[in-house]
């Protein structure tokens, strides 16, 4: 047999070691990548090319954050940015929705990251738990809102006392104007002196909204702190409160002015309270009121609207049904149970009755007062006017107008 015919057995390849071979040359370290923090989605959603638009968007975002639901609604619910066609309104409203969406996403990411660090046992000083931020915000809201709402609603009881004790309205108006002479300069000084602002808010900050403070501390405003300037701080709501009350006392009959102040004191408080508690469980109000097409604040919820309407109706029914005749025997009333709509003489010596008294007239006034309270509290008027100013003026004017219209209808039916 030839040597060439002998088949050699196939050579098996040498077994490679699973351990990687060490190189004799030193291994170069991997290139270090410098991680840059991505820009905040809040800042990227606002354009610096239009500073006026940025101010308007910032103001609206703050009002929504301090309104119903606050950040709890964004964190506790599945917050999704609406589609372009669903946002509605102009570009400014879309930007506001984007900013709110960004805040919600940051809160959700912080929440998840905080829970992850907590479960792994790697809680560090640099990474706070997402829930702690929300808890701090809730605690701040509780600390600041409860005293402010207590003071807000206590004005109603003081108003009833002054009405029943037959106090002189002109004396009350002068006292309120004198109070403004002290409050307004102090409020303006807050924006000029940071030291005075810190001192002022240290003692009176628990009675103020977060958006009314120069030295803001809340989470929602800290997120936007890099685009807020001191000139954008809002005036203390007490100023608008006193102006609205004085307007009602000066230009409306005493019974209508009292109801308007009670609506400001109690209906506004109930709308805010129930809106915060149940606003996330109900849908938001439409952007405009049906038929009248009046603009409604997008942060308002159906729960707050219902609470304000029910409270306003209860105020009108209880006042004209029980309290109104207490003052001077009811001689200055624009509506009285037996006489109905009345027109009081200028000297207060006599009055002309038109009818629509009894339960029918009271029911009509009660229903209108309730609807007016809910709508006036939810309005979003141009210039972001404070509801402490607009609520007594609008509610008192509408109720007085309806009573006069009721008198015209009564005289037309009787003729």
């Amino acid at each position: 047999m030839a040597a060439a015919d002998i088949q050699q057995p196939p050579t098996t390849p040498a077994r490679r070691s699973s351990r990687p071979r060490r190189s004799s040359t030193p291994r170069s370290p991997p290139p270090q990548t410098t991680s840059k923090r991505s820009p905040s989605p809040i800042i990227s959603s606002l354009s610096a090319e239009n500073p006026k638009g940025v101010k308007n968007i910032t103001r609206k975002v703050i009002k929504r954050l301090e309104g119903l639901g606050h950040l709890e609604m964004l964190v506790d619910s599945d917050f999704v940015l609406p589609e372009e066609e669903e946002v509605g309104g102009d570009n400014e409203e879309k930007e506001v929705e984007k900013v709110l969406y960004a805040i919600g996403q940051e809160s959700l990411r912080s929440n998840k990251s905080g829970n992850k660090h907590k479960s792994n046992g790697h809680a560090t000083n640099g990474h706070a738990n997402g829930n702690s931020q929300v808890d701090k915000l809730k605690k701040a809201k509780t600390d600041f809102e409860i005293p402010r709402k207590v003071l807000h609603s206590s004005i109603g009881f003081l108003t009833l006392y002054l009405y029943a004790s037959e106090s002189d309205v002109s004396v009350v108006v002068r006292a309120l104007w004198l109070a403004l002479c002290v409050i307004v300069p102090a409020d303006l000084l807050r924006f000029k002196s940071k030291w005075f602002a810190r001192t002022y808010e240290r003692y009176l900050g628990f009675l103020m909204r977060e958006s009314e403070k120069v030295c803001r501390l809340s989470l929602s405003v800290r997120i936007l702190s890099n685009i807020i300037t001191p000139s954008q701080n809002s005036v203390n709501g007490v100023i608008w409160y006193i102006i609205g009350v004085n307007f009602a006392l000066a230009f409306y009959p005493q019974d209508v002015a009292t109801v308007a102040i009670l609506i400001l004191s109690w209906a506004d408080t109930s709308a805010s309270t129930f809106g915060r508690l149940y606003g996330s469980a109900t849908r938001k109000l439409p952007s405009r009121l049906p038929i009248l097409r009046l603009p409604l604040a997008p942060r308002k919820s159906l729960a707050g609207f219902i609470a304000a309407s029910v409270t306003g109706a209860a105020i009108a029914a209880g006042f004209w049904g029980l309290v109104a005749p207490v003052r001077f025997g009811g001689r200055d009333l624009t509506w009285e149970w037996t006489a109905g709509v009345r027109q009081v003489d200028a000297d207060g010596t006599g009055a002309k009755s038109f009818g629509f008294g009894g339960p029918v007239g009271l029911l009509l006034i009660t229903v209108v007062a309730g609807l007016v309270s809910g709508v006036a509290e939810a309005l979003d008027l141009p210039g972001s006017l404070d509801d402490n100013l607009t609520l007594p003026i609008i509610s008192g004017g509408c109720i007085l107008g309806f009573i006069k219209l009721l008198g015209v209808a009564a005289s037309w039916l009787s003729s």
Side-chain angles (χ1 to χ4, degrees), residues 10 19 31 58 86 135 187 242 285 330 352 399 402 404 409-410:
R19 181 177 299 176
T58 303
E86 295 179 359
D135 293 339
D187 203 62
I242 295 177
L285 296 179
K352 182 179 179 181
I399 292 173
F402 176 76
K404 294 202 176 280

Side-chain angles (χ1 to χ4, degrees), residues 192-248:
K192 299 297 183 181
S193 172
K194 288 294 184 66
W195 173 85
F196 183 80
R198 286 192 295 268
T199 305
Y200 186 95
E201 293 167 12
R202 180 182 302 171
Y203 296 102
L204 299 177
F206 66 98
L207 299 176
M208 302 167 62
R209 290 192 180 105
E210 288 298 303
S211 62
E212 296 170 355
K213 297 180 181 179
V214 175
C215 304
R216 295 188 175 99
L217 297 176
S218 69
L219 171 65
S220 60
V221 186
R222 282 206 307 268
I223 296 176
L224 299 172
S225 60
N226 49 0
I227 55 175
I228 296 176
T229 60
S231 60
Q232 292 171 287
N233 295 291
S234 60
V235 178
N236 195 334
V238 175
I239 296 177
W240 303 119
Y241 198 106
I242 295 177
I243 295 176
V245 168
N246 268 0
F247 184 95

Side-chain angles (χ1 to χ4, degrees), residues 238-283:
V238 175
I239 296 177
W240 303 119
Y241 198 106
I242 295 177
I243 295 176
V245 168
N246 268 0
F247 184 95
L249 292 174
F251 295 99
Y252 298 151
Q254 293 180 11
D255 55 343
V256 175
T258 302
V259 170
I261 297 172
L262 293 179
I263 289 174
L264 168 63
S265 178
W266 295 341
D268 183 44
T269 302
S270 65
S272 176
T273 303
F274 282 89
R276 293 176 189 273
L277 291 175
Y278 308 107
S280 59
T282 60
R283 60 181 182 180

